[in-house]
Amino acid sequence: MNETQYLQKIEEAFEWAESVVDDWASRYDMDLESKRMGSVLEVEFESGQKIILNAQAPTQQLWLASVEGAHHFVWQINEQAWLDTRGHGFFPNVFLRHAKSITGLSSLAFLEE
């Protein structure tokens, strides 16, 4: 994957996360905030805890960190998805697990669910 393609995939991941957070804020009446600072997207929950997404261009990875732990994802061409390098699954599912743990809400879902 060239740098342009990598940056497009990162942009899509950030936009997806922002959409999901906006949906959660309205669907579950939660006070959530997402903000971008260059290659970093922070999602802050009512508790003040955060999920931080970070583009790592030198390694072409997407990093996710929260109090629940840290994950590094690489783009899988065959699956057309970001996959954790240590076998913890695909980015959307890991993001959801972290958010559920932070909020204590098992009802959190993705937009399409």
Side-chain angles (χ1 to χ4, degrees):
M1 171 167 47
N2 66 38
E3 184 177 357
T4 302
Q5 292 167 323
Y6 165 75
L7 292 173
Q8 180 60 40
K9 296 301 178 194
I10 287 293
E11 179 64 23
E12 290 169 5
F14 280 15
E15 287 177 356
W16 173 85
E18 289 169 326
S19 294
V20 169
V21 167
D22 288 345
D23 180 64
W24 290 343
S26 64
R27 187 189 301 196
Y28 303 105
D29 192 30
M30 298 172 66
D31 184 20
L32 298 172
E33 183 179 334
S34 63
K35 62 182 172 183
R36 288 195 202 201
M37 296 160 290
S39 63
V40 176
L41 172 67
E42 285 188 358
V43 176
E44 186 170 352
F45 294 83
E46 291 176 333
S47 65
Q49 292 182 358
K50 297 178 182 180
I51 293 177
I52 300 172
L53 305 179
N54 191 337
Q56 291 295 312
T59 58
Q60 290 196 338
Q61 293 182 341
L62 169 63
W63 289 4
L64 179 152
S66 80
V67 297
E68 297 302 311
H71 299 272
H72 298 173
F73 299 89
V74 292
W75 183 254
Q76 297 296 302
I77 294 171
N78 292 340
E79 289 89 1
Q80 289 294 295
W82 291 101
L83 182 63
D84 181 73
T85 60
R86 294 190 179 149
H88 295 281
F90 292 103
F91 165 67
N93 296 320
V94 173
F95 185 87
L96 181 62
R97 282 195 305 266
H98 281 245
K100 282 182 174 181
S101 179
I102 289 169
T103 62
L105 297 173
S106 61
S107 60
L108 287 179
F110 295 132
L111 293 169
E112 60 273 0
E113 293 179 352

